[in-house]
Amino acid sequence: MAGGTNPLHDLWENGREVWCDGCYLTDLITERAVAYIRRMAASGRPFFLYLPYNAPHYPMHAPQRYLDRFPHLPWDRRIMAAMISAVDDGVGEVTAELERQGILDDTCIFFTSDNGPSRETRNWLDGTQDPYYGGSAGMFRGHKFSLFEGGIRMPALMSWPARLPGGRTLDEPVASMDLFPTLLRAAGGQPSSYQVDGLDLMPLLVQGEPLPDRDLLWEMGRQTAIRRGPYKLVLNGQLVEGEPPAEPVHLSDLNADPGERRNLKDELPELTAELRATAETWRAGVEERWRNRPGSHSGTTGVPTGPTGR
């Protein structure tokens, strides 16, 4: 622990702290996943595997064998590339094991990230409180914790050889909340039996059917955002965690301006007012539900940790 702020060990299994000195966590997660697939394949039962790699989350470090693949990159970028490379190898080992077991074609694989690049300061094993500059959102504004596109627009991959045609790129906006109803229905369940906000994506993925019109909404700290068609409104949008809002109200046409550089709020005041009212009403409902959640203290106002989407 450095300065009492950055604990260096936080590894637990079934409620018990475990020590795996000398292991790289990304490799350890892969090993456990491969072993689980082997057990389930031998049992002949269907299975669900949630595989939450922490990389390239902090602390930012990687074994030398991964660093050696990127000697040409600056240090921050080199660490990022090495950590992503370790995840890439891990996903490859998982896929190879599914193929060895003869179940790859009948296995649906979904891969995505959860947020944009971090600028947090608690990134290094030695406890150095230094902002991280190794990640980039490219043309998009914002970083992790931001509701601009740089904080929330993530690529995703889905593979299911027996059901899905491959080699396609789809650009309809979806959200991680769509995954549950999609896989539930594909497995024979009924999303209507649950309270869900997401959509079953299989008609889009298999037949290419367009999704029904819907609003997508997010919240994070004091930020709120809504997307309707190509238009996206961000309220109190931050570019970096801890900084003041970049603008109190920002309206963009993401088709024409995916980088959210041009603010259309004064050019489209009626749309701005409509989207703002919808977003604020939704946010008020989120806050009310948070206050009334089981175990909450009466009269206490909480801010969900988000980003929450709908």
Side-chain angles (χ1 to χ4, degrees), residues 233 249 251 264-266 268-277:
L233 184 79
V249 181
L251 177 68
L264 303 177
K265 69 179 181 65
D266 294 329
L268 300 171
E270 293 183 0
L271 178 60
T272 298
E274 181 180 348
L275 292 178
R276 181 170 189 167

Side-chain angles (χ1 to χ4, degrees), residues 176-185 190-191 194-196 199:
S176 294
M177 65 187 178
D178 296 324
L179 190 58
F180 174 70
T182 300
L183 297 182
L184 178 64
R185 186 178 293 279
Q190 293 297 325
Y194 301 85
Q195 183 178 354
V196 297
L199 297 175

